[in-house]
Amino acid sequence: MQIGEVSRRSGVSVRMLRHYDRIGLVRPSGRTGAGYREYAQADLRRLFQVEALRTLSLPLAQVAAALDDPEFDAAAALSRLIGETEARISAERQLLGRLREIEATAPQGWDEALDVVELLTGLRSGAASDRQSAALRSGAAPQPVLGQLVDAYLAETEPSVAGALRWAIVRAGQPAVALLAARATDADPDVRSRIVWALTAIDSATASAALAGFVDDPVPRIAGRAVLALASRQAPQPGPGLEQMCSRLVDMIAAGIDDVDAAEKLGALAARSPDTAATVIALVESRMAALEQTGPAGTDASGRGRLVQALGEIPGESAGNLLRSLLDDPDAEVARTARYLLDGRR
């Protein structure tokens, strides 16, 4: 079979067949009387083997080795090809993702598209200064880019850059709340902490609802920050919600978690009504009694001391009565603090 017929049947161009012949990869077994290449059945089988191996992206040199070298390591070659293919697919997916991000911003021209590219490149830079600059330039970011800002913020470990990204997210306002809330169950406590920090700066009902989901966070500092933010906003009406908030604030004071701020917020809630004040006093009294039974020496003086100090923020006779009951407390420091606060009420 001559070269033209081989080309038609195999789909391999005449030019490529000549190249294979020249490098010794597929050589015709004979020549016609006129000097034309003539391929035998064995030549055709080798040609089809070559083309099959080329579909695996093997270089021609390795194709030749696979067919001619009895010591050729097929497993190693396949492993290398798999690794190269996976890397190529990953790079292509990243490129596709970037293209879709740019397309989603609906740029009106290449200038706008290039602005988006510059922003995304800056956010992914290895240099903190570049990331911070990108965050400060972001302005009122469109929704797709806002998602990138949120992702960058939640992954950022450099405080100054995180602050700039948080500023950009807060400027976006309401559209950012849903993106932040979607990551509320992230396993990383640092991510949840950054979410709460951003939500505390967005004053809206949906941001408050998102913050409420962090009140029971297993990390006390995260739960405490959410409670303080919620207590600074419109507190719930009397009922289970208000009692839960007061209970959380009492827990924070006892544990020494932002206890000064917690005491201030607790006092403000107690001032809302006599019933709320009574609820707060009952919670403080109960917690102090519980702490008196704990600790290696039978008391937890630091927690009880912080709670008695918090009573100074709570108006009304109920707080005064509890302070008077502590004048003979076994802990001298608690008794002295109660006396000092009572004197200040006169």
Side-chain angles (χ1 to χ4, degrees):
M1 189 181 299
Q2 293 184 11
I3 193 168
E5 183 66 16
V6 171
S7 177
R8 285 192 296 273
R9 292 194 179 192
S10 66
V12 180
S13 69
V14 170
R15 181 181 179 185
M16 184 59 72
L17 288 170
R18 287 173 178 158
H19 179 64
Y20 287 170
D21 185 9
R22 188 165 53 251
I23 65 175
L25 185 58
V26 182
R27 282 179 171 163
S29 298
R31 293 272 179 170
T32 67
Y36 294 111
R37 294 175 177 85
E38 192 164 37
Y39 291 83
Q41 282 299 120
D43 302 330
L44 293 177
R45 280 196 302 272
R46 183 176 176 91
L47 175 61
F48 289 130
Q49 290 171 344
V50 166
E51 292 304 297
L53 290 171
R54 286 195 63 199
T55 64
L56 302 180
S57 295
L58 273 175
L60 291 180
Q62 289 195 20
V63 170
L67 294 176
D68 300 330
D69 185 355
E71 296 184 0
F72 179 75
D73 191 341
L78 285 171
S79 178
R80 179 183 60 78
L81 287 172
I82 289 170
E84 291 174 354
T85 303
E86 287 178 339
R88 188 166 58 250
I89 290 172
S90 176
E92 292 294 331
R93 283 177 176 163
Q94 290 179 15
L95 174 59
L96 179 61
R98 286 195 292 271
L99 290 171
R100 283 177 172 163
E101 289 168 0
I102 297 167
E103 180 188 39
T105 65
Q108 298 302 306
W110 277 115
D111 286 344
E112 288 188 17
L114 290 172
D115 286 342
V116 174
V117 171
E118 184 180 3
L119 172 62
L120 297 179
T121 301
L123 291 176
R124 293 167 181 146
S125 171
S129 58
D130 290 344
R131 299 196 301 276
Q132 184 176 30
S133 178
L136 294 174
R137 292 197 313 269
S138 63
Q143 186 75 11
V145 178
L146 179 58
Q148 295 297 320
L149 283 173
V150 170
D151 289 343
Y153 167 64
L154 297 182
E156 185 57 60
T157 57
E158 182 67 33
S160 61
V161 181
L165 288 165
R166 178 173 173 263
W167 168 83
I169 289 167
V170 170
R171 283 191 66 192
Q174 192 58 32
V177 173
L179 295 171
L180 292 166
R183 297 284 299 276
T185 58
D186 196 289
D188 188 344
D190 289 335
V191 169
R192 300 198 305 277
S193 179
R194 293 187 195 105
I195 292 171
V196 170
W197 267 119
L199 289 172
T200 58
I202 302 175
D203 189 7
S204 70
T206 52
S208 295
L211 279 170
F214 289 93
V215 169
D216 294 318
D217 193 279
V219 178
R221 63 183 171 82
I222 297 175
R225 192 172 296 149
V227 170
L228 288 175
L230 289 169
S232 299
R233 302 182 182 192
Q234 184 64 41
Q237 295 300 311
L242 179 58
E243 184 171 347
Q244 181 193 35
M245 183 176 292
C246 293
S247 179
R248 295 292 185 188
L249 290 169
V250 169
D251 290 344
M252 290 173 64
I253 296 167
I257 300 171
D258 293 322
D259 50 294
V260 175
D261 286 342
E264 180 183 337
K265 299 296 188 298
L266 190 66
L269 291 174
R272 292 180 52 171
S273 71
D275 287 343
T276 304
T279 296
V280 170
I281 295 300
L283 288 168
V284 171
E285 187 172 16
S286 175
R287 190 57 188 271
M288 289 190 70
L291 290 174
E292 195 171 6
Q293 306 302 318
T294 64
T299 62
D300 185 337
S302 59
R304 295 182 79 246
R306 287 188 291 270
L307 286 169
V308 72
Q309 289 174 19
L311 290 172
E313 302 285 345
I314 301 172
E317 189 59 27
S318 295
N321 290 337
L322 181 53
L323 286 170
R324 277 187 282 274
S325 72
L326 296 171
L327 292 175
D328 297 322
D329 194 88
D331 187 314
E333 186 61 32
V334 169
R336 279 195 296 271
T337 302
R339 169 65 64 187
Y340 172 79
L341 292 174
L342 281 170
D343 288 344
R345 285 174 175 259
R346 293 175 182 170

